[in-house]
Every structure is written in structure tokens, then in C-alpha cells.
Amino acid sequence: MIKPSPEQEYIINYFIQNNPRNRVLLVEAPPGTGKTFTAVTTAMYYTHFNIENNPRYNKKVLILTFSKNARAQIEKQLDILSSHDDNWDKYIEITNFHSFFQKYVWAYSRYLGLKENLIIMSSKQRREKLKNKLSFISDYDGDNNEQYEWAEALLEGDFRPLTNKGNVKPAVKKLIPYKEDIMNVIKEINKEGYIGFSDIAYYMWELLQKSQALLNIIQNKYNLIILDEYQDSSDLQDKIVKKLIGKSNKAIFFADSKQMIYSWRGASSERLNNLLNDYKGEIEKKELIEVMRFKNRKDIENILKEAREGNYNINNFNSSENIEYVKVKVKDKNIYSREIKNHMFATLKYKVFNKLPKYNETKNKSIGILCRSNEQVSFLKKALREEFNINSQTISNNEDEHDIICDLIEFMRKQQTEINEDELCREILKYIFFVIYDNNIGSIKRNKLDDVSFNSLKRARLEILKTISHYVEEANEEKDYYKCLSNSIKLISNNNLQINYDMMSLVKKVLHFCSYSEDRIMDIFLQYQYLKAFKELIGIYVLNVHQSKGREFDYVFLIDRETINKEDNLLYVALSRVKEKLVVFDWVV
């Protein structure tokens, strides 16, 4: 067992003292201070202490976090600290909010007035359903992202997007008078058996409000709840957690006020102060101070200390042994001008490529290229792949992956019906373009699939397209569309195309099963996402700063620090992802 620091030891032993002063601890835990180790060790020591003092002890410690990635990191830490003979699963439950809520909502769906076999909609399905159901609201534009994202999350909370001046964005402001109507439409969709991720917490709250007996069972089951990254919780998640803790259970809230970057999803800068008020007389606040991640890299430790104290003057950051400052010299800085922006990005890609270390230096390491915008992410991924022949790895994209899984379920339902040759061609090509980066295969273009017919595919000169047309013809005779798709995906993986290996892996996992059920496919999907979150990061990753939260990279390339610095805490989060070397890129005119 790793020897804890004095401050870690205080937290680990807090609830196994004879007379702990309080039943709630709030722990300020900056990155690199061993938060995950402290949380897991606390759960283990607490459980061991109770078993030793009561052979009939049958309660659990619940470790509750926000994402599959964070859950995987905590489970990995438990594996490291455990011996093979330990049976911690019986006493420690590690899960994330959505999975924990879903378990109870699914079990009590009929009690909540919902169907038994609930289907979690993909964002694509949800957008289409809301577009149809909200057609009575003339101001609702289902293609407007701001309107859709506000409307679809209403059961979880009213997260109104604001302009730079702090006003509600005009597109959303028009919908506010219809808020109750929109919520009722979402509930109607839920009663039809379709539910969104952002609805699940609403029904968990309804369930706890409705059944005191169930609340008593849950409270009795978990007499210590450990919360991770609590600064990012929404109001509804906060209410549910406090309900589960109740009047007598113990709790540890691990949080870092400097990493609160999800205000647009309900996180509040007042969340931690509210805890101190809500549990007044029952709560103690502690802080993990000693940073252990950087070993002898004092320059990185110091830059993080400065950033944490709010010293964000980007002109004062200088290159050092483990920090390199790269000036990206451009004629002008204006991302709103297409011409100027294209020049900025074109200059940037060569700077990034030239700073990438040699493969031998990083073959077992991770490089995180962190951007402010998704546009920068897409540009750099494409440039690395097409111009420098470098395939970057991907952090699990839940939305795109969920879309393809739900589309596959819909396609497999068609196995029971009849699809004409033209429609089947378009379906097959849609999935092919899901698993490749190319924008066209011969004469078939990604953005013009609606124009594709069986005859146009059959007339194509490219051998791969002729083979696919043969599969389609065969499927139409045998009425086996599943086999057609499976053969086409296998064909694609053996041709000279730019493969999206993550999507290819997911599609192949689903197509591996000749017989299927919707539940089985969703199980495969969830297992795939979980295993991906558990996997060690090795290789080059291009992602936005929000996606990087909770992850660490040996090398961090920080793109456009000046823009990142404009948002509270975002620069600190980006800087704190690094373990060994930091390379900062800034535009200079």
C-alpha cells in the first residue's frame, strides 16, 4: 500500500475514529494531489474497519462520479490497491450519476408511469422527435442548436445560454413562454418509451419523492457516500445526493472550485459554499495540498500554482526545461474572417507537426493536443491524417457513437420488412461513410447520398462499388440485409480508404452477432464505451479542453492559450492535464 501523506491520512481515517466530529467532509482537491487514491483508500479502510467490528456488516460505500472515464479511473485505482483475494465489489460500489439513476428508474419505470423497456434516444432521434412534436410552436426551429439544446435538457434544469453580455440568447428567449409546454412534450415522449440522458435525473428525483420506502432502502444500503468532482454537479443532482445522504449518513465531497467549467450545464460557483451552509455544524472542510504528479518538474508545478492563484497574464509565461512557448506568427488575428482564419490554421498545423516528438521518444506515452474550439479540433485531426499521415486517437464520442448504434437498431428492424434496392444502397453507404474519413468513394459522395440509386452504384467503375452493388443485389433476392451490411463493412476494412478505426471497431462488434435484440446491442455499446474509458491513453489525441477534463497526458500541446484564458478556470483545467511536458502555442501578429 502506498503511504499516504499526512493530509490524506487525516481524511482516510476520519470516519473510523471513535468520535468523528462531523458526518460530512468537504475536500478541496486540486489535480495531482492524489484525490482518487484518497477516495478509494478511504472506502477500503472504512469498510475494513466496520467488518472487523461487526462480522454481520452488510452495508456499502457508494463512490459516485460524473463520467464513465472517471469511474474507470477509480475502479483502476481499486484494482491497484486490492489483492486478488479481496471481495470489494460486495462492499464498494463505483458508478457515475447517469448509470446509478438509470438503474433505479429502469427498475421502477412502470411505477413512474413509463414503459418497461425504455430506450435511450440518440441526440439525432431526440432532435427529430422534438422537431415533430413541437411543430405547434412557430418559434421553435429544430435545426437551431441553441434552441434544441436548451429545450431537450429542460427536465434536468433550465440552462439558458447567455450572450457575452450576460443576456439570454435571442433564439432561446423566444421559447421561454413555452417552457411548460416543451417539458410536457418531453414527458409525453418518455411515456412512449423513449428517454434522453438528460431526463433520467428528473425521474430519479420523482421516484425518491414518490417512494419513502425506496429512499429508506437506499439510505440504509449506503451509509457512506463519496462524491467526485462535485463542483460540476447540477442543482438537480445536488438535490438527489442530499436526499440520499439524509439526516444520518456520512459523506465526503471531493471538489476543486478552480475546475468548475460546466456552468452552462448547471454547475454553480456557489455549490461548495451551499454545502457549508446546508450542513452547518455537521461539516468540516479540508484541503489536499501536496502535489505529487510532477516529481522534479518544479517549472510545471509553479505555473499551475500561479494559474490557480489567478495569475493568468499570458505574457509572463516563459519557456523552461519542461515548458515550451511557441509563437505562431500570423499577419492578422481574426477568426471571424474566413480568409484570415484559414491562414492562421495553415500556419498552426506546421508549427504543431514540427513540435511533435519522435516516435521513439513517445511510443508508450500520450500526447494531448488541447483546443478551445471543435473547429480547431477537426482541422488539426484532418491535417495530421491527410497531410502528415498521422492517425490521432479519439476520446470516446458518446453522441456520434450513440447515433450510429440507434441507426443500426433501426436498420436491423428493417430485416423484418422489405427494402427496395435504392434505399438499401443508401443505407449501406451511410454506414460505410460512418467508418471512414473519406468524403467520396469514386463517384459516390458523402454529402450526396440521397442522390444514389442502385443503377448509379452498379454503373460505377470502381471495383469496390461494383462489389457492394453485387451484395445489394444478392440481399434483395435473399432478403438478408444484415448480411449485406456485414459483407460491405468487411470489404471496406480491406481497401485503401482512411478508416475511422474506433467507429469501425464499434460497428464490427455489433455486426458480429447474427441474431440480435435491442437490449443486447445497447449492452455491447455500453461495454465498448466502458472498456474504452478504462483503456490507458497512448498516442496522439486532438480534443477540446472540456473533453480533456479528468484525463492526463504525458505531453500537452495547448492551442490558442489567449482564447482559452478568456473563460473562467478553463486555462487552469487545460494546464493541469500535463504530466511531463507542456508546449503552448499562441498567435503573434
Side-chain angles (χ1 to χ4, degrees):
M1 175 72 77
I2 302 167
K3 182 172 173 57
S5 68
E7 61 213 33
Q8 289 174 327
E9 198 162 3
Y10 182 88
I11 295 161
I12 289 165
N13 292 316
Y14 191 81
F15 291 121
I16 59 178
Q17 299 171 15
N18 290 330
N19 294 299
R21 291 190 296 278
N22 298 286
R23 68 185 183 99
V24 179
L25 269 177
L26 170 58
V27 181
E28 185 89 9
T33 54
K35 174 197 66 177
T36 304
F37 166 78
T38 307
V40 171
T41 307
T42 300
M44 294 170 71
Y45 275 40
Y46 180 81
T47 299
H48 184 70
F49 173 82
N50 280 288
I51 293 171
E52 274 197 336
N53 286 275
N54 178 8
R56 295 185 178 182
Y57 179 75
N58 63 353
K59 299 191 186 287
K60 280 191 169 189
V61 177
L62 175 64
I63 303 181
L64 197 55
T65 188
F66 283 84
S67 65
K68 292 184 180 74
N69 172 63
R71 172 186 168 188
Q73 298 311 311
I74 294 170
E75 290 189 347
K76 200 182 295 184
Q77 183 72 76
L78 181 59
D79 284 344
I80 291 168
L81 297 175
S82 302
S83 69
H84 293 298
D85 299 328
D86 291 331
N87 187 21
W88 291 114
D89 286 351
K90 184 179 176 183
Y91 298 104
I92 300 174
E93 183 176 337
I94 302 168
T95 187
N96 53 296
F97 274 114
H98 278 120
S99 297
F100 183 73
F101 297 164
Q102 184 180 338
K103 175 173 67 172
Y104 289 99
V105 171
W106 262 234
Y108 292 90
S109 58
R110 292 192 68 181
Y111 180 66
L112 287 164
L114 304 170
K115 288 190 174 181
E116 277 188 13
N117 298 315
L118 289 168
I119 297 169
I120 298 180
M121 287 184 287
S122 69
S123 59
K124 179 180 172 183
Q125 289 174 319
R126 192 166 172 86
R127 188 185 285 268
E128 288 171 359
K129 276 194 175 289
L130 282 179
K131 194 172 185 177
N132 292 332
K133 296 272 189 180
L134 296 178
S135 58
F136 67 93
I137 301 175
S138 59
D139 286 324
Y140 181 71
D141 176 2
D143 296 321
N144 182 292
N145 286 333
E146 289 170 358
Q147 287 193 339
Y148 166 72
E149 287 168 6
W150 175 75
E152 75 86 24
L154 275 177
L155 292 193
E156 186 178 359
D158 187 347
F159 311 131
R160 299 179 185 182
L162 304 177
T163 64
N164 292 333
K165 294 181 178 179
N167 301 317
V168 179
K169 291 204 171 179
V172 171
K173 193 172 184 179
K174 291 189 286 188
L175 295 182
I176 291 172
Y178 304 99
K179 177 181 171 180
E180 291 300 321
D181 294 325
I182 295 170
M183 291 175 71
N184 288 334
V185 164
I186 293 171
K187 291 174 191 176
E188 179 187 318
I189 293 169
N190 296 156
K191 286 177 182 176
E192 292 171 2
Y194 297 93
I195 195 166
F197 279 111
S198 53
D199 303 336
I200 298 173
Y202 170 84
Y203 288 103
M204 182 66 180
W205 176 248
E206 288 287 296
L207 184 57
L208 296 179
Q209 291 285 86
K210 195 173 180 181
S211 176
Q212 182 63 43
L214 176 63
L215 176 60
N216 292 342
I217 289 169
I218 298 174
Q219 287 176 337
N220 190 54
K221 183 178 182 180
Y222 308 108
N223 64 348
L224 172 60
I225 301 178
I226 298 175
L227 291 309
D228 181 40
E229 299 284 0
Y230 206 69
Q231 75 280 348
D232 288 329
S233 62
S234 68
D235 289 343
L236 186 52
Q237 290 165 341
D238 184 57
K239 282 166 63 176
I240 293 170
V241 164
K242 287 171 181 171
K243 196 87 167 170
L244 298 180
I245 294 168
K247 301 291 184 184
S248 59
N249 282 339
K250 303 174 184 71
I252 302 178
F253 294 87
F254 285 95
D256 183 3
S257 55
K258 298 295 183 182
Q259 289 193 75
M260 201 283 289
I261 59 172
Y262 291 111
S263 56
W264 48 277
R265 287 298 295 179
S268 169
S269 57
E270 292 301 309
R271 183 77 63 226
L272 306 187
N273 287 333
N274 290 341
L275 284 176
L276 295 172
N277 291 327
D278 292 342
Y279 292 106
K280 189 174 286 186
E282 299 181 289
I283 188 169
E284 181 175 348
K285 185 176 181 181
K286 298 297 291 181
E287 185 176 0
L288 292 174
I289 299 169
E290 186 182 349
V291 178
M292 303 170 217
R293 183 191 297 169
F294 305 117
K295 299 179 182 176
N296 297 320
R297 296 179 176 85
K298 282 293 179 185
D299 50 354
I300 293 179
E301 189 174 338
N302 289 337
I303 199 175
L304 278 172
K305 185 180 177 183
E306 289 288 311
R308 189 168 183 85
E309 291 173 359
N311 298 328
Y312 285 155
N313 185 347
I314 64 172
N315 297 315
N316 290 340
F317 289 122
N318 297 311
S319 296
S320 57
E321 184 181 357
N322 302 298
I323 303 171
E324 185 174 0
Y325 176 60
V326 179
K327 295 178 180 180
V328 183
K329 193 165 180 59
V330 293
K331 294 177 182 176
D332 196 0
K333 292 192 293 184
N334 183 357
I335 59 170
Y336 299 105
S337 162
R338 182 178 293 277
E339 184 181 345
I340 294 172
K341 181 176 67 178
N342 287 345
H343 176 260
M344 290 167 67
F345 283 11
T347 309
L348 173 68
K349 68 185 176 187
Y350 291 108
K351 288 283 189 180
V352 170
F353 174 70
N354 289 332
K355 289 298 174 183
L356 287 173
K358 303 298 181 189
Y359 174 74
N360 288 338
E361 296 174 43
T362 59
K363 61 182 176 182
N364 293 317
K365 294 184 181 291
S366 57
I367 301 172
I369 302 176
L370 311 188
C371 308
R372 174 61 194 94
S373 71
N374 288 329
E375 185 180 23
Q376 289 173 343
V377 170
S378 298
F379 175 84
L380 285 173
K381 276 186 174 182
K382 189 169 186 278
L384 287 173
R385 185 177 65 247
E386 294 183 359
E387 297 181 48
F388 305 118
N389 200 27
I390 295 173
N391 276 320
S392 58
Q393 308 295 311
T394 57
I395 300 293
S396 185
N397 187 328
N398 294 345
E399 192 170 299
D400 288 348
E401 290 168 355
H402 197 183
D403 281 347
I404 194 172
I405 287 295
C406 290
D407 277 356
L408 278 168
I409 288 172
E410 291 295 327
F411 175 76
M412 289 173 177
R413 285 175 182 160
K414 293 177 181 177
Q415 184 75 16
Q416 313 304 320
T417 62
E418 189 166 326
I419 310 177
N420 66 46
E421 288 177 327
D422 290 342
E423 186 184 352
L424 183 56
C425 281
R426 290 189 284 270
E427 283 281 323
I428 299 300
L429 288 165
K430 177 178 75 174
Y431 293 109
I432 287 172
F433 279 110
F434 259 131
V435 301
I436 64 173
Y437 292 111
D438 305 71
N439 286 319
N440 60 283
I441 307 172
S443 59
I444 306 298
K445 299 185 185 303
R446 179 190 290 270
N447 61 354
K448 291 193 174 179
L449 289 185
D450 289 343
D451 299 338
V452 175
S453 66
F454 175 68
N455 285 332
S456 65
L457 189 63
K458 201 171 182 180
R459 288 195 304 267
R461 295 180 181 180
L462 212 58
E463 193 61 38
I464 188 173
L465 296 177
K466 289 181 179 179
T467 305
I468 292 170
S469 72
H470 170 70
Y471 290 155
V472 169
E473 198 167 28
E474 193 177 67
N476 222 39
E477 292 172 5
E478 299 174 1
K479 300 294 181 276
D480 192 345
Y481 312 126
Y482 187 96
K483 178 183 171 185
C484 177
L485 177 57
S486 186
N487 286 338
S488 298
I489 294 296
K490 285 177 188 173
L491 177 69
I492 287 298
S493 61
N494 296 320
N495 274 271
N496 189 26
L497 292 165
Q498 297 180 65
I499 305 295
N500 182 331
Y501 289 102
D502 292 291
M503 285 297 190
M504 178 68 82
S505 171
L506 178 57
V507 170
K508 280 187 171 180
K509 279 182 188 296
V510 174
L511 294 177
H512 178 72
F513 295 89
C514 295
S515 58
Y516 80 100
S517 69
E518 292 178 11
D519 288 345
R520 179 64 183 134
I521 290 175
M522 289 308 296
D523 285 345
I524 293 167
F525 172 52
L526 294 173
Q527 184 185 45
Y528 164 86
Q529 286 194 318
Y530 174 69
L531 290 174
K532 195 170 179 184
F534 205 88
K535 190 177 169 185
E536 200 74 42
L537 296 182
I538 295 175
I540 297 173
Y541 296 80
V542 188
L543 63 167
N544 65 47
V545 178
H546 286 87
Q547 288 174 321
S548 75
K549 187 136 186 296
R551 295 177 168 91
E552 298 172 0
F553 301 92
D554 296 298
Y555 291 60
V556 164
F557 282 26
L558 187 58
I559 308 299
D560 192 5
R561 178 180 56 186
E562 188 174 359
T563 301
I564 293 171
N565 187 37
K566 290 177 182 176
E567 294 187 43
D568 286 347
N569 300 334
L570 203 60
L571 179 61
Y572 178 72
V573 168
L575 292 170
S576 60
R577 301 307 96 204
V578 67
K579 290 197 285 186
E580 293 183 14
K581 182 162 185 179
L582 176 67
V583 184
V584 180
F585 298 81
D586 268 334
W587 313 110
V588 177
V589 178

